Amino acid sequence: MAKKVTSLDVARLAGVSQSAVSRVFTQGASVSPDMSKRVRAAAETLGYRPNALARGLITGRTKIIGLVVAYLDNPFYPDALEKLSTALQAEGYHLLVFTTGKHGVDTDRVISELLDYQVDGIITASITLSGELTRRCAAAGIPVILFNRGIPGSGLAAVTSDNRAGGRKAAEFLLAGGHARIAHITGFAGASTSRDRRAGFEAALDAAGQGLHAVEDGRYDRATAAEATRRLMDRPDPPDAIFVANDHMALAVMDVLRFDLGLKVPEDVSILGYDDVPMAAWPAYDLTTVRQPTRRMVQATVEELMALLETPTRTARSIEIDGPLVVRGSARLPEGQDR
Amino acid sequence: MAKKVTSLDVARLAGVSQSAVSRVFTQGASVSPDMSKRVRAAAETLGYRPNALARGLITGRTKIIGLVVAYLDNPFYPDALEKLSTALQAEGYHLLVFTTGKHGVDTDRVISELLDYQVDGIITASITLSGELTRRCAAAGIPVILFNRGIPGSGLAAVTSDNRAGGRKAAEFLLAGGHARIAHITGFAGASTSRDRRAGFEAALDAAGQGLHAVEDGRYDRATAAEATRRLMDRPDPPDAIFVANDHMALAVMDVLRFDLGLKVPEDVSILGYDDVPMAAWPAYDLTTVRQPTRRMVQATVEELMALLETPTRTARSIEIDGPLVVRGSARLPEGQDR
DNA sequence: CGAATGCTTGCATACCTATGCAAGCCGAGT
DNA sequence: ACTCGGCTTGCATAGGTATGCAAGCATTCG
């Protein structure tokens, strides 16, 4: 196992000082072309690369962003993770990933460990932070961005789709389709996405003078959503349309309807989802759904993060990105509307 | 933005030396109970936690594992990533994640950046390393483990399922089902998994005196696999069974057969996949497939990695884990066999 | 009671790099 | 020709922690 090669080794070989080597590898430092050439040559022969840890220790910027994510079985998150990673790499940052597990009990421990690594910023996906943690991050001067969650009144930066508008679009489409008994399967009660989607959905139904026919809790979980579906359809007056709070559950709902209950979608029941995950477009499901524009959400997240890193005093923004309703075949079309 | 609180601050408050503070937070150092109590109290009031960067700089162990992954749209990988992260966190390690993108051109740059962070080890998923990189990691004394890939003769540690055996099981099941024209859609030609699955599959067919009816390249990609399916079925003598090199492609194949070509699975064509991703069990697909035991593969990966970190001189092992054929409904059952 | 042993603790240093400061050099302006 | 300014470079130090070494202390054994 070879010893690590340090800037001092390079300096000796090139016959210059250690600081000269450092400057050659530091963006925007004052170095003559000749010096740069000699140092780079020496570094090349020795295989030298700056130690990111030492650099981070002294500059106070590690170029590491902590990502906290609860689970990855909803395909929306791997997709976002991949795009986030790519976008951050382009800015010279890298992702230190922490998972909290479904139950998310140890979020506090996890964030503490993140702080130990002196991350420059934190992105949380599908995670809600305690006020205590929020304060600790603020005290450490570390910006936090909530991805696909918001905590109203917390003053934390957040990037979501426009969930209220999305819920509204879902309601309007189902109303236009002439549905009479419209039900909803919610996500997780503690999640802003779930609350907002429901609020927008319900408001639009109310505005049309038609209330929500039934509600069940799906907890953003396949099995729970499947149970909820059975309960809904067991009623004496089963719904003729269900708006499901995300695609991940909506696919499970369609499975139950078609394979357990022998019903047809959308002839017997219309299904609407939320997210537009890749699978929603597959012909086996062909799910009508409200798109969350992952690419733009990621882009907004990275931009906001970079802005906060640049200007820590900046007030954090809460960004909502509008997404279209993607009309496919899982919900009855409004009269006269083609796809 | 508060200044960072250091071990020196804690030492002053507790009226002890900085080294004492360090020892309290260092596993296995000699500290009296009284000292520990006082220091911890002081640390608590100041909100002190050891700086992982500084610690890593001096100990040479960062407790960071680099994970390099090409893409996450095959759901096998998010699942593995989540389990890996959880298992490593339990051992006190954390994942620094790098994505190379589909084209994987910049693997070299990516690994270089990983090395900059002085990671203790590297896990690569669905990535093949150049010999050059391998040498550099070895020179830096950093163990590398290939997850779900192997590079024969490279001497690198690798964890895979027993892909040859898996291919064999697939062939035997299709043969037992009485299929006469058995085709195969391969993965990516550069991937050991694809080569081994094919080798086992073909060997078993040959042993039965029945050759491979047709082969197409699917490149572990949905769109490519869909094209391959159309070519196969366009032949004058289309196959009556297709073994697809992974589930991700197999689902696309089923979509094409059923929705584009109007064929029935398994009545017209039997389909076999590989991986047993969660979606394979969903009733819309109900895919018969060879399971890759993710949990055991992850466990083996972590164990091997820990062993290599403990004893760097240890010769790396190549671990193959056997997985069962999971019989579902996408392939005709052998005569007399129930599910 | 003296010496030897074992546990604690502080001192000093090392890990590797970035950067303020001052010195050196060269060219330009008057 | 002299001075001034700008660009380069080296020196020295900081950043936060772990650890070898020696000193201090208590304990135990003969």
Side-chain angles (χ1 to χ4, degrees):
Chain A
M1 183 176 350
K3 307 286 162 222
K4 307 193 187 274
V5 30
T6 78
S7 59
L8 201 60
D9 299 325
V10 177
R12 272 194 284 260
L13 177 61
V16 300
S17 74
Q18 178 270 328
S19 29
V21 178
S22 169
R23 274 189 265 262
V24 169
F25 286 94
T26 301
Q27 196 70 345
S30 162
V31 188
S32 72
D34 174 63
M35 169 71 80
S36 178
K37 214 182 65 183
R38 278 169 59 198
V39 167
R40 284 186 194 281
E44 182 79 14
T45 65
L46 293 181
Y48 168 79
R49 306 208 86 213
N51 182 325
L53 257 54
R55 173 176 283 181
L57 183 56
I58 191 166
T59 61
R61 323 204 105 220
T62 55
K63 297 281 191 170
I64 299 180
I65 304 296
L67 175 70
V68 187
V69 57
Y71 50 88
L72 294 176
D73 34 6
N74 176 352
F76 176 74
Y77 289 108
D79 186 31
L81 166 54
E82 186 180 333
K83 290 192 171 70
L84 265 176
S85 168
T86 304
L88 286 173
Q89 277 175 232
E91 303 276 351
Y93 286 83
H94 301 293
L95 276 182
L96 194 61
V97 174
F98 286 64
T99 53
T100 64
K102 289 258 174 189
H103 316 295
V105 205
D106 37 358
T107 310
D108 286 41
R109 195 172 52 69
V110 156
I111 301 246
S112 294
E113 293 177 18
L114 261 184
L115 295 179
D116 293 351
Y117 280 101
Q118 317 294 112
V119 294
D120 289 344
I122 296 180
I123 300 174
T124 68
S126 65
I127 295 276
T128 310
L129 258 65
S130 74
E132 158 67 11
L133 277 184
T134 306
R135 243 171 286 122
R136 276 181 46 196
C137 293
I142 298 180
V144 176
I145 300 198
L146 307 173
F147 184 84
N148 207 29
R149 280 289 187 284
I151 306 182
S154 67
L156 287 180
V159 175
T160 61
S161 66
D162 189 341
N163 289 300
R164 264 197 196 74
R168 217 177 306 129
K169 287 176 192 174
E172 283 158 5
F173 186 76
L174 291 178
L175 288 167
H179 295 281
R181 296 181 308 282
I182 301 179
H184 180 42
I185 294 181
T186 63
F188 170 59
S192 64
T193 49
S194 176
R195 291 194 305 265
D196 291 349
R197 285 167 199 177
R198 174 179 180 163
F201 187 66
E202 226 166 340
L205 287 186
D206 288 347
Q210 178 175 349
L212 196 49
H213 181 66
V215 186
E216 289 281 348
D217 186 7
R219 296 170 51 192
Y220 283 145
D221 175 74
R222 271 185 67 88
T224 312
E227 280 307 317
T229 308
R230 290 194 195 90
R231 276 197 303 276
L232 281 179
M233 304 312 291
D234 258 3
R235 297 166 57 114
D237 53 349
D240 60 356
I242 308 178
F243 170 46
V244 190
N246 74 2
D247 288 357
H248 183 57
M249 293 191 296
L251 301 179
V253 169
M254 287 180 71
D255 282 346
V256 169
L257 292 173
R258 298 195 294 199
F259 296 99
D260 282 9
L261 307 178
L263 297 172
K264 289 199 163 182
V265 176
E267 289 81 354
D268 297 318
V269 194
S270 283
I271 299 296
L272 242 63
Y274 206 111
D275 278 351
D276 194 25
V277 300
M279 286 153 45
W282 295 3
Y285 290 100
D286 198 33
L287 179 66
T288 296
T289 185
V290 180
R291 171 172 298 157
Q292 296 219 79
T294 321
R295 194 174 308 269
R296 282 163 55 206
M297 285 174 66
V298 164
Q299 188 183 324
T301 303
V302 173
E303 277 171 11
E304 176 73 6
L305 185 56
M306 295 300 129
L308 285 171
L309 290 175
E310 188 77 22
T311 319
T313 57
R314 195 171 179 285
T315 52
R317 296 191 304 156
S318 184
I319 302 172
E320 297 196 335
I321 293 178
D322 193 50
L325 177 76
V326 180
V327 178
R328 298 204 182 89
S330 68
R332 193 196 305 160
L333 296 180
E335 195 130 357
Q337 174 169 339
D338 267 358
R339 283 180 57 174
Chain B
M1 181 175 353
K3 307 286 162 223
K4 307 193 187 272
V5 30
T6 78
S7 60
L8 202 59
D9 299 326
V10 177
R12 272 194 284 260
L13 177 60
V16 300
S17 73
Q18 178 270 329
S19 29
V21 178
S22 169
R23 273 189 267 262
V24 169
F25 286 94
T26 302
Q27 196 70 344
S30 162
V31 188
S32 72
D34 174 62
M35 168 72 78
S36 177
K37 215 182 64 183
R38 278 171 58 199
V39 168
R40 284 185 194 283
E44 182 79 15
T45 64
L46 293 182
Y48 169 78
R49 306 207 85 214
N51 182 324
L53 256 53
R55 174 177 281 181
L57 183 57
I58 191 167
T59 61
R61 323 206 105 220
T62 54
K63 296 280 190 173
I64 298 180
I65 304 295
L67 176 69
V68 186
V69 58
Y71 51 87
L72 293 176
D73 35 5
N74 176 352
F76 176 75
Y77 290 109
D79 186 32
L81 166 54
E82 185 178 334
K83 290 193 170 70
L84 265 175
S85 169
T86 304
L88 285 173
Q89 276 176 232
E91 302 276 350
Y93 286 83
H94 301 293
L95 275 183
L96 194 62
V97 174
F98 286 64
T99 52
T100 65
K102 289 259 174 187
H103 316 294
V105 205
D106 37 357
T107 311
D108 286 43
R109 195 172 52 69
V110 155
I111 301 245
S112 294
E113 293 177 18
L114 262 183
L115 295 178
D116 294 350
Y117 281 102
Q118 317 294 112
V119 294
D120 289 345
I122 295 180
I123 300 175
T124 69
S126 66
I127 296 276
T128 309
L129 260 66
S130 74
E132 159 67 11
L133 277 183
T134 306
R135 243 170 288 123
R136 275 180 49 197
C137 293
I142 297 180
V144 175
I145 300 199
L146 307 174
F147 184 84
N148 206 30
R149 279 292 184 284
I151 306 183
S154 68
L156 286 180
V159 176
T160 61
S161 68
D162 190 340
N163 290 300
R164 266 197 195 73
R168 216 178 306 128
K169 286 176 191 175
E172 282 159 5
F173 186 75
L174 291 177
L175 287 167
H179 296 281
R181 297 181 308 281
I182 301 180
H184 180 43
I185 294 180
T186 62
F188 170 58
S192 63
T193 49
S194 176
R195 292 194 304 266
D196 291 349
R197 285 166 200 178
R198 175 180 180 162
F201 187 66
E202 226 167 340
L205 288 186
D206 288 346
Q210 178 175 348
L212 197 47
H213 182 65
V215 186
E216 289 281 349
D217 185 7
R219 297 169 49 192
Y220 284 145
D221 175 74
R222 270 184 68 88
T224 312
E227 281 307 316
T229 307
R230 289 192 197 94
R231 276 197 302 277
L232 280 179
M233 304 311 291
D234 258 4
R235 296 166 59 114
D237 53 348
D240 60 357
I242 309 177
F243 170 46
V244 190
N246 74 3
D247 288 358
H248 182 57
M249 293 191 296
L251 301 178
V253 169
M254 287 180 71
D255 282 346
V256 168
L257 291 174
R258 296 196 293 198
F259 296 98
D260 283 8
L261 307 178
L263 297 173
K264 291 199 164 183
V265 176
E267 289 81 355
D268 297 317
V269 195
S270 284
I271 299 297
L272 241 65
Y274 206 111
D275 278 351
D276 195 25
V277 300
M279 285 152 44
W282 295 2
Y285 291 99
D286 199 33
L287 179 66
T288 297
T289 186
V290 180
R291 172 173 298 160
Q292 296 219 81
T294 321
R295 195 174 308 270
R296 282 163 55 207
M297 285 174 65
V298 164
Q299 189 182 325
T301 303
V302 173
E303 278 171 11
E304 176 72 8
L305 185 56
M306 295 300 131
L308 284 171
L309 290 175
E310 188 77 22
T311 319
T313 57
R314 195 168 178 286
T315 51
R317 295 190 304 156
S318 183
I319 303 173
E320 297 195 336
I321 294 179
D322 194 50
L325 177 76
V326 181
V327 179
R328 298 204 181 90
S330 68
R332 192 197 305 160
L333 296 180
E335 194 130 0
Q337 173 169 339
D338 267 358
R339 281 179 60 171

